[in-house]
Amino acid sequence: MDAQGRGRADDVDPADQWVLNPRTGEYELRLSPSAPESSVPGPRTAGPRASGRRTTAPGREVPPQRRRRAEPEAPAPGRRGRRPEKKKSRGKRALLWTGGSMAFVVLVAGVGGYVYLKHLEGNVSTTDVGTAGSSSFKKDEAFNILIIGTDKRTGEGNEGYGDKGSAGHADTNILLHVAKDRSNATALSIPRDLIVDIPDCETTQEDGTKKVIPGSSGVRFNQSLGDLGRDAGCTMRTVAETTGIKPDHFMMADFNAVKTLTTAVDGVDVCVEKAVDDPKSHLQLPAGESTVEGEQALAFVRTRHAFGNEGDLDRIKVQQQFLGSLMRKMSSSDTLTSPTKLVKLAEAATKALTVDKAIGKVGTLKDIALELKKVPTKNITFTTVPVLDNPAEKVKATVVVNEAKGPQVFDMIKNDISFTEVEQKKKKEKAAVAARLKGEKSEPGEVRVRVMNGGAPAGSAQQELAYLQTQAGVSKSENAGNAPAEVAKTTLEYAPDQADQARALAEILGLSGAAMKPGESVTNAQGLPTMTLTLGKDFKGAGVKLDGSVKKPDLDTESTADQKLCAS
């Protein structure tokens, strides 16, 4: 055991062991020596030998040895005195990123080496969700993480929030989708009062046995956790049932997490249009910008009476703004270069989290954080499931999915389509559009095309054919059955001399330039050259245009992580 394990070890802040190395510009872990020493190392002549004699025992001195006088050795650049140089260690760098609500923070560490990493790992609680999620995290794929903020009370001072004795319901919920190429992400809030069908779900009991919790129809979404012993796996299954999007993993935190995490970063900046004085949450803020942490931060994300119509949907907007500010604070240089803040965050974040077993290792959390860090904040979209007031209620208390908007939002997420303009994709798409879409277009009646199903729902080729012939005027179209293989995106293959026909059909269908594939034509039954339209998994239905940028829905709420907004 080193000196940190003896004496006043409990009084030592782990962050105080980190020292900035001017030579490398990075912080390095430096353990205290076993004997006291000066805080500013001096030349080696300082200390017991300064008198010119060596001390071998109390009261006895030995004459110094004769030695050639030499010029004092200058310290090496970037070194403090003669302290041995420490090699740069990648394993002792700290990185972090954030995402989610009610304190979703993923810490990536190496703060203090392997022992400290294992300590952090011991802070994280895990739940076995079985087949509700993925068995592992894959760095080269798109992924969905369900962020759950529960109304369970832990810690002191939380008596004014949530239901007393609650097992922890799904109070605040965000489905975070991260694109495969890491160019964008979407954080989709799911209202706790959304009416859903909760499916049967298998849970793992404390003794390791399995128990199936029966489902419920027409109930609030927040009942997918806590009620009848339902765990986070049940909430994940409910998300998949409601949206068609399967969460790969989950991360869950309770009320206390907001207080500890905001304190760890010395507060989060928020803005309100009007002064707030809410006696129920005890939130008091002046108009304009403020910094909140601890109890005040919890009050800010929990209040329902200070903003809008005092409903849950307005509170969701405020929480999204708060999260965007938290993400900016976490990724700021002030946080990333402060070892004290990093250690506090490491402790607070890992103690706050409960995750599925597949990502319960600190190394896996590190991998997730590094992938999240690749996404520019300007391309992280916060939005909410499109909803309508529940038509079955006279007194409006719950909401239902807006079937005119919801499915399109869900499909965009499932098909990895960004809600923001992604610069790199935009440039590539512009080049493709310029080369393939500009020019003369044939009349619809001159377009010859065969339609194949390459991954769309059964019957889609015939439905699209009927639309082309009866509504779009493409009379020279035919059904060619199923494609040889499934494809993710709808494509149109055509010969160079069919470019005018291809441009006409692309305009009708909303095809992007990237979907147009110059190649070869085929010969139809009449011996005439014909283009091939292959409907992919992105096909939304007969007559529905396929260009994601054209079809972006009118979202009920939308903001990005780089925007500084004021709650109202």
Side-chain angles (χ1 to χ4, degrees):
M1 180 180 292
D2 59 28
Q4 292 301 107
R6 300 191 299 268
R8 299 193 306 141
D10 294 339
D11 298 331
V12 179
D13 187 335
D16 293 338
Q17 303 174 51
W18 286 74
V19 179
L20 179 66
N21 185 334
R23 183 177 65 81
T24 64
E26 297 189 9
Y27 284 95
E28 297 177 351
L29 184 65
R30 181 169 295 156
L31 298 177
S32 300
S34 55
E37 69 173 32
S38 169
S39 59
V40 181
R44 294 185 65 178
T45 54
R49 297 182 62 182
S51 63
R53 294 181 179 275
R54 292 177 293 155
T55 302
T56 59
R60 183 179 178 186
E61 294 183 345
V62 177
Q65 294 180 346
R66 293 180 180 272
R67 59 184 296 180
R68 177 183 296 177
R69 179 176 296 177
E71 293 296 327
E73 182 180 349
R79 304 263 304 273
R80 298 177 62 185
R82 297 293 299 279
R83 187 184 296 271
E85 179 182 2
K86 294 184 75 65
K87 293 183 179 180
K88 182 176 180 180
S89 172
R90 292 185 179 180
K92 294 176 181 176
R93 298 175 184 174
L95 299 169
L96 64 89
W97 190 246
T98 62
S101 179
M102 291 292 291
F104 167 44
V105 178
V106 181
L107 175 81
V108 185
V111 186
Y114 176 79
V115 174
Y116 191 65
L117 284 176
K118 297 305 290 183
H119 160 71
L120 293 179
E121 199 165 280
N123 289 344
V124 181
S125 300
T126 61
T127 298
D128 182 1
V129 298
T131 59
S134 299
S135 60
S136 62
F137 174 72
K138 299 178 180 179
K139 294 190 286 186
D140 57 349
E141 296 291 340
F143 60 90
N144 303 309
I145 297 181
L146 179 62
I147 315 305
I148 307 172
T150 77
D151 58 3
K152 186 176 182 179
R153 300 177 182 177
T154 60
E156 298 180 359
N158 297 329
E159 290 78 11
Y161 305 100
D163 298 327
K164 184 176 181 180
S166 172
H169 295 107
D171 191 65
T172 300
N173 312 277
I174 289 185
L175 180 62
L176 178 67
H177 170 79
V178 181
K180 181 176 181 178
D181 64 3
R182 309 301 186 244
S183 65
N184 67 92
T186 301
L188 180 70
S189 291
I190 304 172
R192 68 176 190 176
D193 295 328
L194 179 68
I195 295 300
V196 298
D197 292 335
I198 301 174
D200 295 348
C201 60
E202 185 179 75
T203 61
T204 302
Q205 306 300 299
E206 291 185 2
D207 60 2
T209 60
K210 304 291 185 179
K211 178 181 179 181
V212 176
I213 308 297
S216 302
S217 299
V219 297
R220 282 178 166 88
F221 181 89
N222 69 342
Q223 292 179 233
S224 64
L225 179 70
D227 275 18
L228 306 178
R230 293 185 176 114
D231 62 13
C234 300
T235 310
M236 295 170 73
R237 295 179 191 276
T238 304
V239 170
E241 178 83 9
T242 305
T243 67
I245 306 167
K246 181 181 177 180
D248 297 299
H249 308 286
F250 85 89
M251 293 184 177
M252 182 166 62
D254 57 30
F255 289 155
N256 213 48
V258 177
K259 299 199 298 188
T260 57
L261 289 163
T262 53
T263 300
V265 295
D266 296 336
V268 173
D269 297 331
V270 298
C271 181
V272 294
E273 290 187 359
K274 299 178 181 179
V276 174
D277 186 0
D278 180 12
K280 293 188 177 181
S281 67
H282 307 295
L283 178 64
Q284 293 181 328
L285 291 175
E289 296 184 356
S290 299
T291 300
V292 296
E293 66 175 276
E295 185 69 35
Q296 195 177 33
L298 178 57
F300 184 82
V301 298
R302 289 297 306 156
T303 181
R304 294 183 62 171
H305 305 284
F307 309 112
N309 62 5
E310 302 186 10
D312 189 52
L313 295 179
D314 285 298
R315 183 173 63 174
I316 287 175
K317 295 177 185 178
V318 172
Q319 290 172 345
Q320 290 173 345
Q321 294 170 18
F322 176 87
L323 178 58
S325 181
L326 177 60
M327 294 175 73
R328 292 192 297 273
K329 185 65 174 287
M330 292 296 217
S331 58
S332 69
S333 58
D334 288 345
T335 300
L336 294 177
T337 58
S338 170
T340 301
K341 289 182 181 179
L342 287 174
V343 169
K344 288 180 179 178
L345 276 170
E347 296 292 343
T350 51
K351 288 178 181 178
L353 288 175
T354 298
V355 303
D356 56 288
K357 281 195 171 182
I359 60 173
K361 301 293 185 182
V362 167
T364 307
L365 293 177
K366 174 200 68 175
D367 291 339
I368 293 175
L370 288 174
E371 296 306 308
L372 285 169
K373 190 176 184 294
K374 296 177 182 178
V375 183
T377 54
K378 68 177 182 178
N379 291 334
I380 302 175
T381 300
F382 293 97
T383 189
T384 306
V385 171
V387 296
L388 298 171
D389 286 334
N390 188 350
E393 295 176 335
K394 291 183 178 180
V395 178
K396 304 304 180 185
T398 61
V399 293
V400 296
V401 173
N402 183 339
E403 293 298 337
K405 296 182 179 180
Q408 187 176 345
V409 172
F410 305 150
D411 284 340
M412 287 182 70
I413 294 175
K414 282 193 294 185
N415 292 308
D416 210 15
I417 298 174
S418 173
F419 287 81
T420 60
E421 292 283 358
V422 179
E423 193 62 29
Q424 185 178 6
K425 283 186 174 181
K426 186 177 178 182
K427 289 180 179 179
K428 290 182 179 179
E429 181 66 9
K430 279 185 176 180
V433 168
R436 300 172 187 172
L437 292 181
K438 290 184 178 180
E440 294 184 0
K441 301 179 181 68
S442 299
E443 292 297 324
E446 299 176 357
V447 174
R448 287 189 300 273
V449 62
R450 62 175 190 157
V451 184
M452 304 185 75
N453 191 333
S460 294
Q462 185 59 40
Q463 294 168 12
E464 184 72 346
L465 178 65
Y467 164 76
L468 290 174
Q469 292 182 340
T470 62
Q471 298 185 47
V474 184
S475 56
K476 298 177 181 178
S477 51
E478 59 187 80
N479 188 342
N482 292 327
E486 290 191 353
V487 294
K489 304 289 185 182
T490 297
T491 60
L492 174 63
E493 184 175 2
Y494 58 96
D497 60 355
Q498 296 172 312
D500 55 346
Q501 296 183 43
R503 285 189 286 266
L505 189 60
E507 184 176 52
I508 293 170
L509 301 179
L511 290 176
S512 67
M516 298 174 66
K517 305 296 182 183
E520 298 179 355
S521 62
V522 296
T523 302
N524 65 10
Q526 290 74 39
L528 299 173
T530 304
M531 300 184 296
T532 300
L533 175 67
T534 304
L535 305 180
K537 294 179 180 179
D538 61 339
F539 180 72
K540 306 298 190 303
V544 180
K545 293 198 173 187
L546 289 159
D547 188 345
S549 62
V550 173
K551 282 186 55 57
K552 179 179 176 180
D554 180 17
L555 300 173
D556 293 347
T557 62
E558 182 181 12
S559 63
T560 53
D562 64 325
Q563 292 177 313
K564 296 181 180 180
L565 304 175
C566 289
S568 60

